[in-house]
Amino acid sequence: MRLEHWFYIVPSRLRSLLRRSQVERELNEELRFHVDNQIDEYIARGLTPEEARYAALRAFGGVEQRKEECRDMRQVRALDELIQDVRYAIRVLWKSPGFAATAVATLALGIGANTAIFSVAHALLLKPLPYANPDELYAVEMHLPQYSDKYPSLPVRVRELIGWPQASTGVSQISAVKGGNFNLTGSGEPERIGAVAVSTNFFSLVGVQPRLGRGFIAGEQQSGHDNVLVISHEFWVRRFGADPGVLNQRISLDGLPYQVVGILPPHFLFPTGKQLHPLVPLPPRIDVWKPLALSPQELRRRDTDWQYGALVRLKTGAAAEQVRQQLEAIAQRNIQQDLPNIPLDVRVRLIPMREVFSGNIRLGLILVLCAAVLLLLIACVNIASLLLARAIHRRNEFAIRVALGAGRRRLIRQSITEGLVLSTLGGAAGLLLAVWGTRILIARAAAALPVFQEVGANASVLAFTLGVVLITGLGLSLAPAVQLFGVGMSGGLAAGAGARAVSTGTAAERLRRLLVGFEVALSAALLMTAGLLVHSFIRLMAVDKGFQVENIVCMNLTLGQEYQNSALRLSFYRDLLERIRALPAVTAAGGTSVIPLTDAPGGSSIYLESDTQLDEANLKRPTASYSVITPGYFAAVGIPLRAGRFLGEQETQPAALISEKLARALWPAESLTAVVGRRIRNGSPDASLWTVVGIVGDVRLSALDRASVPQIYGPYHQSPIGAMSIVVRTASGDVRALASALRDEVRQRDKNLPVTNLRTMSEIVAASVAQRRFQMSLVSLFAIAALALVLVGIYGLVSYSVACRTRDIGLRIALGASREEILRSVLLTGLRPVVIGLVCGIAGTVLGARALRSLLFGVGPLDPVAVGSVAVILLAAAVVACYVPARRASGLDPATALRCE
């Protein structure tokens, strides 16, 4: 077709669609004009007006036929029929408001749950990272295969950070990363802010430039020139009210002046916590960035100083595996030069930045998304069963339409249109529900799933919702459309009011039972998964933590540069703890550098007194986490003493307490009492000797689902540090009442010292299992919703079966069948697909539960508690759903039942 023809055709079709009534009037007037001309011509030939009219109509061939031909020439007939189908579908749903409301609400639940979870999954797993060429950006970690039990993975050494960019042909840039915190003082309330020190090329490496100001320059990586900051956009808005005047101004961090040289764009994305590497913890919220200035001593180190996170950008076109091999060869050569007496194999791993963000939550998020998909499938099966029943009731309607000339293809298209209209309404309601649900997820699960500020509705989420709506609509139409293949004019009309009576035992009835069985199987799988997660969570919370939880309050303090003197630090904490112990209801108080379940500092090797140099044999000595404590800490946190004594204020010689696990690892053949008095070295064979004065119980330091690690405790007065956590035990049950009193005590001692993370030990335990609780709660919520849908499905199946068999049941009662026999028969009819679906669902979950092993704790895929609970719950619910219609059937009056047909 030539191009100029479209200038006439397209406007004509648009006019036919948008001004339908006017076009129809014009068509009527044009046809009337032609008929009138023909009538005038016949009158001129001598016919009477009546004869001329009939002759003109016969010659014209029928006005309505000509109208249809004209409409076909417009080529909008298909759209006309679609609009008619949509209008008819809406009228049908409007006539059944109860069914329409139930179906739309059910679909809204399934589609909304999928959209909400997908929005989270998209933000964390699929959404492109806001970096320049993010596929070229990797995090780096190292491995020592011979010592993988002690060091599953290691950060990067300074030696490699310096040598890799020059020696590797595939590396464009590399940047070091290290976390920290500052006390912000000056105008406003003192605040503890999160900081990250990075190489000066960091912002060019990730391809993000400050929104205002500049990044770092090369000279600022030298010590003494690193007092510059780039601040986050959120920190700029929250602390400085988005005032551009803060640029190039100085702020006080830890008592030292730092100049603000740049402000980052909003929502700059970077790993937090232990995402980058477990041994390089970063703040949970990064407020400021500063240059990483390495001292000459750090630059000269050639031993095992693995302590820096590293990001590497590959050159365009470089293969990641080839670059990895180059870096590994360089690291292997370096370690052989630095530790020639110890044969070590070094492995290097490049981790894509996407995996850095999603590595520890990917499986749990996929599990929740699968649970949402199962819920949607159950909702679709439930509604498909209802639509199938309605299609059987509408057989008369379909038969009449067939008799009037409608083809089966036309009826099937009408059925598909009704399904799509229903799914569209459910999708619209589900999208609103998803927006509301996503806000709840963000508010409730920020501790469980990081980077939540990136979650929200976007084009991809809307496209996903549209796809779900289309697939759901087509799926809902499948069962009714199949039934339309059996619609016949005579059969449908002959069935009349007796259609229900003859439908029992037909393919439609078997299909409904199959749908209910499939629905039960899906629900059983979802309930089984929820049962495993719930039982796993219960076992996790019941594990021996090694410390007490109730009536304990903790807070973190970090002294600034004005407390550089060790005597000042010691005096501050000693005086503060004495003030706190004097508060009413306080029974014990102490300080520690590490609170259980809040951190997992990298362990250092512990050597025996006989170990005088580092060699291959003593390199296998156990590692232990080191922390300093003040007197009163063990009484406050409830860690028991196993042997010896606690540390005192007047320890004149280097002394330490060790955990039971460390004692048994160092001296496996000796009793705990015999270990007291032994001497150890911490970190190096040439370190000073510490005397073991006591042994305490093991504590789960990093997480409840991880085994306790060996620990060593040193007295605070021998190693005064600025950052300490204060632990307070109260005799009162209202531990939150201590909060204001503790803050007042700190302010009286130092008004510029910020108090951070003031919370109870119960809150600390809850935060440590937040991710597991998030997964368990969502899957359990979906499982409960699925159980409710299954109950509706089972009830609908049995009720419809009883309605179809009213005459049969009446005859059986009239012929002498007892009420108990009728009750039992109906119950067995309803429970048969339930039992089959239950067995299939549990079997399928057990087979697929191997993928859940990393999400479970203390339970297996065949956990009898979960299997038994799911079987009892589903069967009990099914019996309740079947009992109501079964009892109604057993109470039928035979005369009434026979008369109703």
mmCIF file of all heavy atoms in Angstrom, residues 85 89 387 391 394 398 401 409-421 473 476-482 484:
data_model
loop_
_atom_site.group_PDB
_atom_site.id
_atom_site.type_symbol
_atom_site.label_atom_id
_atom_site.label_comp_id
_atom_site.label_asym_id
_atom_site.label_seq_id
_atom_site.Cartn_x
_atom_site.Cartn_y
_atom_site.Cartn_z
ATOM 1 N N ASP A 85 -17.296 -7.724 23.713
ATOM 2 C CA ASP A 85 -16.969 -8.792 24.671
ATOM 3 C C ASP A 85 -16.637 -8.228 26.037
ATOM 4 O O ASP A 85 -17.045 -8.780 27.071
ATOM 5 C CB ASP A 85 -15.797 -9.621 24.147
ATOM 6 C CG ASP A 85 -16.175 -10.470 22.949
ATOM 7 O OD1 ASP A 85 -17.387 -10.661 22.714
ATOM 8 O OD2 ASP A 85 -15.254 -10.945 22.238
ATOM 9 N N ALA A 89 -18.631 -8.935 29.377
ATOM 10 C CA ALA A 89 -17.957 -9.522 30.540
ATOM 11 C C ALA A 89 -18.203 -8.695 31.794
ATOM 12 O O ALA A 89 -18.438 -9.233 32.881
ATOM 13 C CB ALA A 89 -16.460 -9.641 30.266
ATOM 14 N N LEU A 387 -14.950 -20.607 38.104
ATOM 15 C CA LEU A 387 -15.361 -20.285 36.742
ATOM 16 C C LEU A 387 -15.874 -21.517 36.011
ATOM 17 O O LEU A 387 -16.800 -21.428 35.194
ATOM 18 C CB LEU A 387 -14.183 -19.674 35.975
ATOM 19 C CG LEU A 387 -13.790 -18.245 36.354
ATOM 20 C CD1 LEU A 387 -12.519 -17.839 35.627
ATOM 21 C CD2 LEU A 387 -14.914 -17.279 36.031
ATOM 22 N N ALA A 391 -19.428 -21.904 34.358
ATOM 23 C CA ALA A 391 -19.585 -22.266 32.947
ATOM 24 C C ALA A 391 -20.605 -23.379 32.777
ATOM 25 O O ALA A 391 -21.379 -23.395 31.810
ATOM 26 C CB ALA A 391 -18.236 -22.700 32.373
ATOM 27 N N ARG A 394 -23.936 -21.938 33.008
ATOM 28 C CA ARG A 394 -24.255 -21.083 31.869
ATOM 29 C C ARG A 394 -24.366 -21.872 30.560
ATOM 30 O O ARG A 394 -24.321 -21.288 29.489
ATOM 31 C CB ARG A 394 -23.178 -20.001 31.726
ATOM 32 C CG ARG A 394 -23.135 -19.028 32.893
ATOM 33 C CD ARG A 394 -21.932 -18.111 32.794
ATOM 34 N NE ARG A 394 -21.980 -17.267 31.605
ATOM 35 C CZ ARG A 394 -20.971 -16.483 31.223
ATOM 36 N NH1 ARG A 394 -19.851 -16.468 31.933
ATOM 37 N NH2 ARG A 394 -21.083 -15.751 30.132
ATOM 38 N N PHE A 398 -24.854 -20.498 26.639
ATOM 39 C CA PHE A 398 -23.959 -20.795 25.528
ATOM 40 C C PHE A 398 -24.687 -21.552 24.415
ATOM 41 O O PHE A 398 -24.451 -21.310 23.226
ATOM 42 C CB PHE A 398 -22.766 -21.613 26.032
ATOM 43 C CG PHE A 398 -21.882 -20.867 26.979
ATOM 44 C CD1 PHE A 398 -21.295 -21.500 28.074
ATOM 45 C CD2 PHE A 398 -21.612 -19.524 26.794
ATOM 46 C CE1 PHE A 398 -20.485 -20.821 28.937
ATOM 47 C CE2 PHE A 398 -20.801 -18.823 27.662
ATOM 48 C CZ PHE A 398 -20.236 -19.475 28.741
ATOM 49 N N ARG A 401 -26.704 -19.166 22.370
ATOM 50 C CA ARG A 401 -25.856 -18.358 21.492
ATOM 51 C C ARG A 401 -25.364 -19.182 20.296
ATOM 52 O O ARG A 401 -25.240 -18.663 19.189
ATOM 53 C CB ARG A 401 -24.668 -17.809 22.287
ATOM 54 C CG ARG A 401 -25.096 -16.839 23.384
ATOM 55 C CD ARG A 401 -23.917 -16.291 24.138
ATOM 56 N NE ARG A 401 -23.117 -15.416 23.281
ATOM 57 C CZ ARG A 401 -22.004 -14.810 23.689
ATOM 58 N NH1 ARG A 401 -21.586 -15.004 24.938
ATOM 59 N NH2 ARG A 401 -21.326 -14.042 22.885
ATOM 60 N N ARG A 409 -15.465 -20.731 18.435
ATOM 61 C CA ARG A 409 -14.329 -19.818 18.540
ATOM 62 C C ARG A 409 -14.761 -18.497 19.149
ATOM 63 O O ARG A 409 -14.041 -17.903 19.961
ATOM 64 C CB ARG A 409 -13.724 -19.606 17.156
ATOM 65 C CG ARG A 409 -12.511 -18.679 17.168
ATOM 66 C CD ARG A 409 -11.924 -18.546 15.779
ATOM 67 N NE ARG A 409 -11.485 -19.849 15.276
ATOM 68 C CZ ARG A 409 -10.943 -20.034 14.067
ATOM 69 N NH1 ARG A 409 -10.803 -18.986 13.257
ATOM 70 N NH2 ARG A 409 -10.568 -21.227 13.675
ATOM 71 N N ARG A 410 -15.933 -18.025 18.765
ATOM 72 C CA ARG A 410 -16.457 -16.770 19.316
ATOM 73 C C ARG A 410 -16.732 -16.908 20.808
ATOM 74 O O ARG A 410 -16.440 -16.015 21.598
ATOM 75 C CB ARG A 410 -17.742 -16.397 18.567
ATOM 76 C CG ARG A 410 -18.343 -15.050 18.990
ATOM 77 C CD ARG A 410 -17.512 -13.910 18.422
ATOM 78 N NE ARG A 410 -18.176 -12.630 18.624
ATOM 79 C CZ ARG A 410 -18.132 -11.937 19.764
ATOM 80 N NH1 ARG A 410 -17.449 -12.409 20.770
ATOM 81 N NH2 ARG A 410 -18.759 -10.784 19.862
ATOM 82 N N LEU A 411 -17.293 -18.056 21.222
ATOM 83 C CA LEU A 411 -17.583 -18.280 22.636
ATOM 84 C C LEU A 411 -16.287 -18.398 23.448
ATOM 85 O O LEU A 411 -16.193 -17.891 24.577
ATOM 86 C CB LEU A 411 -18.423 -19.545 22.803
ATOM 87 C CG LEU A 411 -19.828 -19.517 22.173
ATOM 88 C CD1 LEU A 411 -20.532 -20.835 22.437
ATOM 89 C CD2 LEU A 411 -20.640 -18.361 22.730
ATOM 90 N N ILE A 412 -15.305 -19.074 22.876
ATOM 91 C CA ILE A 412 -14.028 -19.215 23.582
ATOM 92 C C ILE A 412 -13.366 -17.851 23.745
ATOM 93 O O ILE A 412 -12.799 -17.532 24.794
ATOM 94 C CB ILE A 412 -13.109 -20.193 22.826
ATOM 95 C CG1 ILE A 412 -13.680 -21.614 22.918
ATOM 96 C CG2 ILE A 412 -11.698 -20.152 23.386
ATOM 97 C CD1 ILE A 412 -12.954 -22.620 22.072
ATOM 98 N N ARG A 413 -13.462 -17.015 22.713
ATOM 99 C CA ARG A 413 -12.909 -15.669 22.826
ATOM 100 C C ARG A 413 -13.630 -14.872 23.902
ATOM 101 O O ARG A 413 -13.007 -14.094 24.643
ATOM 102 C CB ARG A 413 -13.005 -14.963 21.475
ATOM 103 C CG ARG A 413 -12.231 -13.639 21.451
ATOM 104 C CD ARG A 413 -12.188 -13.061 20.059
ATOM 105 N NE ARG A 413 -13.508 -12.652 19.616
ATOM 106 C CZ ARG A 413 -13.779 -12.222 18.381
ATOM 107 N NH1 ARG A 413 -12.826 -12.206 17.472
ATOM 108 N NH2 ARG A 413 -14.994 -11.849 18.059
ATOM 109 N N GLN A 414 -14.940 -15.070 24.006
ATOM 110 C CA GLN A 414 -15.689 -14.403 25.060
ATOM 111 C C GLN A 414 -15.229 -14.882 26.431
ATOM 112 O O GLN A 414 -15.067 -14.086 27.363
ATOM 113 C CB GLN A 414 -17.182 -14.674 24.885
ATOM 114 C CG GLN A 414 -18.058 -14.112 26.006
ATOM 115 C CD GLN A 414 -18.010 -12.595 26.063
ATOM 116 O OE1 GLN A 414 -18.073 -11.943 25.031
ATOM 117 N NE2 GLN A 414 -17.889 -12.046 27.259
ATOM 118 N N SER A 415 -14.969 -16.184 26.558
ATOM 119 C CA SER A 415 -14.488 -16.735 27.828
ATOM 120 C C SER A 415 -13.119 -16.166 28.183
ATOM 121 O O SER A 415 -12.857 -15.803 29.342
ATOM 122 C CB SER A 415 -14.423 -18.262 27.739
ATOM 123 O OG SER A 415 -13.848 -18.801 28.900
ATOM 124 N N ILE A 416 -12.233 -16.077 27.174
ATOM 125 C CA ILE A 416 -10.906 -15.508 27.425
ATOM 126 C C ILE A 416 -11.022 -14.043 27.819
ATOM 127 O O ILE A 416 -10.322 -13.566 28.722
ATOM 128 C CB ILE A 416 -10.027 -15.681 26.179
ATOM 129 C CG1 ILE A 416 -9.746 -17.174 25.935
ATOM 130 C CG2 ILE A 416 -8.725 -14.908 26.324
ATOM 131 C CD1 ILE A 416 -8.987 -17.446 24.663
ATOM 132 N N THR A 417 -11.912 -13.318 27.167
ATOM 133 C CA THR A 417 -12.104 -11.906 27.510
ATOM 134 C C THR A 417 -12.572 -11.751 28.948
ATOM 135 O O THR A 417 -12.093 -10.880 29.685
ATOM 136 C CB THR A 417 -13.119 -11.262 26.554
ATOM 137 O OG1 THR A 417 -12.666 -11.420 25.210
ATOM 138 C CG2 THR A 417 -13.295 -9.788 26.864
ATOM 139 N N GLU A 418 -13.508 -12.615 29.375
ATOM 140 C CA GLU A 418 -13.981 -12.540 30.764
ATOM 141 C C GLU A 418 -12.843 -12.816 31.736
ATOM 142 O O GLU A 418 -12.720 -12.162 32.776
ATOM 143 C CB GLU A 418 -15.119 -13.536 30.962
ATOM 144 C CG GLU A 418 -16.392 -13.160 30.216
ATOM 145 C CD GLU A 418 -17.504 -14.169 30.453
ATOM 146 O OE1 GLU A 418 -17.334 -15.043 31.326
ATOM 147 O OE2 GLU A 418 -18.540 -14.075 29.768
ATOM 148 N N GLY A 419 -11.987 -13.801 31.396
ATOM 149 C CA GLY A 419 -10.853 -14.077 32.264
ATOM 150 C C GLY A 419 -9.885 -12.914 32.334
ATOM 151 O O GLY A 419 -9.364 -12.577 33.404
ATOM 152 N N LEU A 420 -9.640 -12.260 31.190
ATOM 153 C CA LEU A 420 -8.732 -11.123 31.172
ATOM 154 C C LEU A 420 -9.310 -9.924 31.908
ATOM 155 O O LEU A 420 -8.579 -9.187 32.592
ATOM 156 C CB LEU A 420 -8.405 -10.748 29.724
ATOM 157 C CG LEU A 420 -7.513 -11.740 28.960
ATOM 158 C CD1 LEU A 420 -7.397 -11.334 27.495
ATOM 159 C CD2 LEU A 420 -6.131 -11.808 29.599
ATOM 160 N N VAL A 421 -10.616 -9.694 31.772
ATOM 161 C CA VAL A 421 -11.246 -8.606 32.516
ATOM 162 C C VAL A 421 -11.119 -8.849 34.016
ATOM 163 O O VAL A 421 -10.782 -7.940 34.800
ATOM 164 C CB VAL A 421 -12.721 -8.456 32.099
ATOM 165 C CG1 VAL A 421 -13.467 -7.527 33.068
ATOM 166 C CG2 VAL A 421 -12.824 -7.911 30.682
ATOM 167 N N GLY A 473 -4.980 -14.136 33.368
ATOM 168 C CA GLY A 473 -6.245 -14.105 32.628
ATOM 169 C C GLY A 473 -6.392 -15.269 31.676
ATOM 170 O O GLY A 473 -7.456 -15.897 31.593
ATOM 171 N N LEU A 476 -6.969 -18.455 33.742
ATOM 172 C CA LEU A 476 -8.330 -18.542 34.273
ATOM 173 C C LEU A 476 -9.325 -18.957 33.197
ATOM 174 O O LEU A 476 -10.346 -19.592 33.498
ATOM 175 C CB LEU A 476 -8.749 -17.195 34.863
ATOM 176 C CG LEU A 476 -8.021 -16.736 36.127
ATOM 177 C CD1 LEU A 476 -8.509 -15.360 36.548
ATOM 178 C CD2 LEU A 476 -8.210 -17.725 37.255
ATOM 179 N N SER A 477 -9.047 -18.598 31.958
ATOM 180 C CA SER A 477 -9.982 -18.897 30.869
ATOM 181 C C SER A 477 -9.846 -20.312 30.353
ATOM 182 O O SER A 477 -10.707 -20.776 29.590
ATOM 183 C CB SER A 477 -9.743 -17.914 29.709
ATOM 184 O OG SER A 477 -9.729 -16.587 30.163
ATOM 185 N N LEU A 478 -8.782 -21.003 30.753
ATOM 186 C CA LEU A 478 -8.499 -22.295 30.139
ATOM 187 C C LEU A 478 -9.586 -23.328 30.426
ATOM 188 O O LEU A 478 -10.130 -23.947 29.505
ATOM 189 C CB LEU A 478 -7.139 -22.811 30.636
ATOM 190 C CG LEU A 478 -6.662 -24.122 30.021
ATOM 191 C CD1 LEU A 478 -6.512 -23.982 28.514
ATOM 192 C CD2 LEU A 478 -5.338 -24.559 30.651
ATOM 193 N N ALA A 479 -9.908 -23.515 31.730
ATOM 194 C CA ALA A 479 -10.887 -24.549 32.088
ATOM 195 C C ALA A 479 -12.276 -24.264 31.506
ATOM 196 O O ALA A 479 -12.883 -25.145 30.885
ATOM 197 C CB ALA A 479 -10.948 -24.697 33.607
ATOM 198 N N PRO A 480 -12.830 -23.045 31.641
ATOM 199 C CA PRO A 480 -14.131 -22.787 31.010
ATOM 200 C C PRO A 480 -14.087 -22.917 29.492
ATOM 201 O O PRO A 480 -15.041 -23.386 28.873
ATOM 202 C CB PRO A 480 -14.455 -21.353 31.438
ATOM 203 C CG PRO A 480 -13.646 -21.122 32.658
ATOM 204 C CD PRO A 480 -12.399 -21.906 32.475
ATOM 205 N N ALA A 481 -12.971 -22.492 28.869
ATOM 206 C CA ALA A 481 -12.880 -22.590 27.417
ATOM 207 C C ALA A 481 -12.890 -24.039 26.959
ATOM 208 O O ALA A 481 -13.495 -24.376 25.933
ATOM 209 C CB ALA A 481 -11.620 -21.886 26.924
ATOM 210 N N VAL A 482 -12.245 -24.918 27.718
ATOM 211 C CA VAL A 482 -12.267 -26.339 27.365
ATOM 212 C C VAL A 482 -13.686 -26.882 27.407
ATOM 213 O O VAL A 482 -14.099 -27.701 26.573
ATOM 214 C CB VAL A 482 -11.338 -27.134 28.314
ATOM 215 C CG1 VAL A 482 -11.550 -28.633 28.146
ATOM 216 C CG2 VAL A 482 -9.889 -26.774 28.056
ATOM 217 N N LEU A 484 -16.339 -25.349 26.663
ATOM 218 C CA LEU A 484 -17.128 -24.859 25.538
ATOM 219 C C LEU A 484 -16.990 -25.738 24.302
ATOM 220 O O LEU A 484 -17.811 -25.679 23.399
ATOM 221 C CB LEU A 484 -16.716 -23.424 25.198
ATOM 222 C CG LEU A 484 -17.072 -22.387 26.265
ATOM 223 C CD1 LEU A 484 -16.529 -21.029 25.896
ATOM 224 C CD2 LEU A 484 -18.576 -22.312 26.466
#
